[in-house]
Each structure stands twice: as structure tokens, then as C-alpha cells.
């Protein structure tokens, strides 16, 4: 049976009951448990260390509260800190209409699926005639996939199966969306197995033409410590405005989100929780905080 972090903290803090104050000494074991929990949720080791240091600063010197156990007291502090770091109140999209969104990320992260999911969600929220543009010129299957999803969700669709000119496809998408009176245009771009310069340059050229209001990195929630490098590279090259974390319906504990948010400052805006187009939610920091803590 898995012990929860709360159980582990109770046991690490069993000698603290009755002691007047939380100290560096009596907190050492508990903070070690917190660090281990973060690492096993795939939080980047540097982020885990910073987080524990911050919690230590807050708890050391605090009175042991009456009516709650020291374990509960620490869990509350950790959860609040985690929620704050994950960024409550920052998850809103740019309110501009028409809203232009560029989706970027590695191959297989869930970009194409999330493009349709975002179109569907925002259509329900009142954006008129959402339009999606297939800018992956390398994989015909990706274009077909987006077309099927667009049809199923009644989203406008632009592609060019013969062109290798991504900026031109972007321009055509903008024109088609404008003609249709779209208030939302989402550009699905190509991904690779790892970041390479050609891919980044191609997205930069598309960005120059499209001038997006949002540049969203789609990241697999199961991505471990590598998540930070991926997000940093995309952020430095493109200036990300948000993150979609996918596949949170699986076993992933979502530590990648904390790492990315802590190191790049890019806010998490949505999460993918399944393969179906409706399996998509606005991000709730409290839910992810409890998932990361286990
Ligand atoms: P892309 O290469 O980044 O465009 O990735 P795709 O959108 O093609 O997604 C890759 C795979 O991940 C597909 O099989 C999707 O159905 C799946 N997928 C995407 N998002 C989610 C999610 O939130 N949960 C689950 N379980 N699968 C997802």
C-alpha cells in the first residue's frame, strides 16, 4: 500500500507534538519527505530543492498549532505554497478577439488533439466560428487528423497538402478565418522528437506572419525532468504565453508543470485529461497541487 505524504509527514513529525516551536532540527526529516515526494512526482531536482528551502523558511520558528497535528500544519503550508507557485489567477487567455493562438511542442505531446480541444472549449464559451490551421507540412497524417477533428467539432479548417511554405499556409489560414468572421484562429505546428534549430526557425517564421496573441506550449504531463529543457528552449526562442499540460488522466503526477512554471514563469492555462475532444479543462492549481503531493 502506498503511504500518502500526509502519513509520511505524521510519522516524521511524531516527536514534534507538544514541542512549542517548529525548528530546523525537528523539521529535517519531514522536509526530506517533502523533497522525496516532489522528486517522485518528477519535479526537477533544482525546483524541488528551492521549494523545500522556501517551505523551511516559512515553517521554522512557527508555533505548533493547537487542534491540528504538525503534519497537517505542514501539509497546509506546502499546499498553499505549491498552489501559489503553480499560479492561481494567471490562467486566463488573452481576451482579444479575434484571438490568434500558436500551438507548439514536441511530436506526440498532444498538440493536434489539444488544438481541436481548445477550439471546441472556446466555441462553447462563445467565440464565433473558431478556425484551425494545419501547419505541419511533414506529416500528412497530422493534417488528416486535424481535419477529422475540425469536422467533428464544427471548426473551420485550412490546410494545403501540396505546400511546404508554412508562412504562406499561415497567411491563407488568416484570410480564410477572416472571411468566415472567426473570433478564434488556432495554428497547429509541426513537432519533432526533440527540439532542433530548423523546427524553431520554421515556427519563428510562422510567428512573424501570424503575430499570435498566445503562444502555447503543449507538454506531455508524463515528461520528467527533461520538461524544463524543452520549455526553456521554446520559451527563449518564441516567448511562450502559456502551457497546456496533457495526459493527466494517466499515472503522471504532473511534476513537469511545477518545474516549467518555476523555471520559465510561463503559466499553465489548460490540462488534457483524456483522448476525447471533451477531455479538456481549465487549469486548477489546487487540483494539481494535491496530485503532485500524492
Ligand atoms: P502531436 O504529435 O503533438 O500533435 O500529438 P497528438 O495530438 O497526435 O497526440 C498524440 C497522442 O496522445 C494521441 O494518441 C492522442 O490521442 C494522445 N493524447 C493527447 N492528449 C491526451 C490526453 O490528455 N490524454 C490522453 N490519454 N491521451 C492524449
Amino acid at each position: 500500500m502506498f503511504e500518502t505524504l500526509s502519513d509520511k509527514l505524521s510519522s516524521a513529525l511524531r516527536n514534534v507534538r507538544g514541542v512549542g516551536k517548529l525548528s530546523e532540527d525537528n523539521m529535517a526529516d519531514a522536509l526530506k519527505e517533502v523533497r522525496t515526494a516532489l522528486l517522485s512526482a518528477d519535479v526537477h531536482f533544482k525546483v524541488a530543492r528551492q521549494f523545500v528551502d522556501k517551505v523551511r523558511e516559512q515553517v521554522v520558528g512557527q508555533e505548533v498549532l493547537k487542534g491540528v497535528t504538525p503534519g497537517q500544519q505542514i501539509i497546509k503550508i506546502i499546499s498553499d505554497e505549491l498552489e501559489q507557485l503553480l499560479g492561481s489567477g494567471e490562467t486566463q487567455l488573452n481576451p482579444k478577439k479575434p484571438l490568434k493562438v500558436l500551438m507548439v511542442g514536441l511530436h506526440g505531446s498532444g498538440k493536434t488533439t489539444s488544438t481541436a480541444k481548445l477550439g471546441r472549449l472556446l466555441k462553447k464559451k462563445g467565440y464565433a466560428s473558431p478556425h484551425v490551421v494545419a501547419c505541419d507540412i511533414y506529416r500528412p497524417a497530422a493534417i488528416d487528423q486535424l481535419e477529422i477533428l475540425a469536422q467533428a467539432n464544427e471548426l473551420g479548417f485550412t490546410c494545403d497538402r501540396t505546400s511546404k511554405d508554412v508562412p504562406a499556409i499561415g497567411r491563407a489560414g488568416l484570410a480564410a478565418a477572416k472571411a468566415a468572421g472567426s473570433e478564434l484562429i488556432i495554428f497547429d505546428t509541426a513537432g519533432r522528437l526533440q527540439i532542433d534549430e530548423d523546427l524553431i526557425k520554421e515556427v519563428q517564421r510562422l510567428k512573424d506572419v501570424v503575430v499570435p496573441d498566445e503562444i502555447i506550449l503543449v507538454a506531455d504531463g508524463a515528461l520528467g525532468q527533461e520538461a524544463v529543457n524543452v520549455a526553456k528552449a521554446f520559451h527563449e526562442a518564441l516567448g511562450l504565453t502559456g502551457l497546456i499540460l496533457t495526459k493527466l488522466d494517466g499515472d503522471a503526477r504532473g511534476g513537469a508543470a511545477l518545474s516549467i512554471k518555476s523555471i520559465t514563469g510561463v503559466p499553465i492555462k489548460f490540462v488534457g485529461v483524456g483522448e476525447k475532444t471533451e477531455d479538456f479543462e481549465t487549469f486548477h492549481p489546487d487540483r494539481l497541487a494535491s496530485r503532485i503531493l500524492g
Side-chain angles (χ1 to χ4, degrees), residues 2-8 37-38 40-41 75 82 253 287-294:
F2 286 119
E3 245 188 327
T4 65
L5 179 62
S6 179
D7 295 335
K8 288 180 190 158
L38 293 176
S40 65
I75 288 274
L82 206 47
R253 298 260 303 277
R287 291 188 203 159
L288 193 66
S290 44
R291 187 180 175 116
I292 288 174
L293 290 177

Side-chain angles (χ1 to χ4, degrees), residues 105-114 117 136 139 142 145 149 188-189 191 218 245-250 271-276 279:
L106 295 184
H107 173 64
S109 57
K111 238 179 308 79
T112 302
T113 315
S114 299
K117 285 176 168 180
D136 185 344
R139 288 194 316 132
Q145 184 192 352
L149 289 170
D188 181 23
T189 63
V218 180
L245 199 66
T246 62
K247 310 188 191 182
L248 281 191
D249 48 310
V271 293
V273 290
E275 294 197 59
K276 294 206 285 294
D279 298 331

Side-chain angles (χ1 to χ4, degrees), residues 16-239:
V16 180
R17 289 208 104 168
V19 177
K21 276 195 175 165
L22 301 174
S23 69
E24 189 98 23
D25 266 0
N26 63 25
M27 288 310 302
D29 286 348
L31 291 177
K32 226 178 265 169
E33 292 291 1
V34 174
R35 184 165 180 276
T36 307
L38 293 176
L39 291 177
S40 65
D42 264 338
V43 175
H44 191 273
F45 68 97
K46 277 191 195 154
V47 175
R49 193 170 57 209
Q50 278 166 7
F51 183 82
V52 169
D53 288 346
K54 218 162 166 201
V55 171
R56 184 184 296 110
E57 264 171 42
Q58 278 194 47
V59 297
V60 167
Q62 272 199 10
E63 301 282 337
V64 176
L65 297 176
K66 298 209 166 61
V68 292
T69 64
Q72 288 166 331
Q73 189 172 337
I74 307 298
I75 288 274
K76 172 84 174 76
I77 292 168
I78 295 168
S79 306
D80 289 352
E81 185 64 35
L82 206 47
E83 265 179 54
Q84 205 203 332
L85 257 181
L86 286 169
S88 44
E90 297 178 17
T91 62
Q92 297 295 322
L93 282 174
N94 184 326
K96 229 177 123 191
K97 279 187 186 172
L99 179 71
K100 293 176 283 180
V101 184
L102 194 60
M103 305 286 266
V104 300
L106 295 184
H107 173 64
S109 57
K111 238 179 308 79
T112 302
T113 315
S114 299
T115 297
K117 285 176 168 180
L118 184 61
R120 178 186 182 275
L121 182 78
L122 295 186
K123 184 181 171 119
K124 275 179 70 183
K125 292 199 179 205
Y127 284 76
S129 312
H131 199 91
V132 295
V133 186
C135 300
D136 185 344
I137 51 170
Y138 308 101
R139 288 194 316 132
I143 302 177
D144 297 343
Q145 184 192 352
L146 189 60
E147 183 168 30
I148 291 166
L149 289 170
Q151 271 171 7
N153 294 283
E154 297 177 351
L155 309 171
F157 176 71
T158 295
C159 75
D160 184 339
R161 286 183 168 81
T162 55
S163 170
K164 295 287 172 216
D165 183 346
V166 175
I169 298 171
R171 234 176 266 123
L174 282 177
K178 189 169 178 197
S182 304
E183 289 181 331
L184 171 70
I185 311 134
I186 313 176
F187 300 84
D188 181 23
T189 63
R192 303 268 161 83
L193 286 175
Q194 55 191 34
I195 300 184
D196 69 52
E197 222 169 290
D198 289 344
L199 168 73
I200 293 282
K201 281 202 184 123
E202 183 183 288
V203 183
Q204 275 167 338
R205 282 196 293 274
L206 180 62
K207 179 188 167 188
D208 290 345
V209 164
V210 164
V211 193
D213 310 297
E214 293 273 356
I215 303 178
I216 296 188
L217 174 69
V218 180
D220 187 331
L223 209 60
Q225 307 254 335
E226 178 60 14
V228 169
N229 297 336
V230 172
K232 261 170 89 177
F234 275 107
H235 192 41
E236 278 162 19
L238 298 164

Side-chain angles (χ1 to χ4, degrees), residues 86-94 214 216 241-243 261 267-270 281-285:
L86 286 169
S88 44
E90 297 178 17
T91 62
Q92 297 295 322
L93 282 174
N94 184 326
E214 293 273 356
I216 296 188
T241 62
L243 179 75
K261 177 66 186 6
I268 307 149
K269 301 203 171 180
F270 299 94
E281 297 170 356
T282 304
F283 174 62
H284 294 283

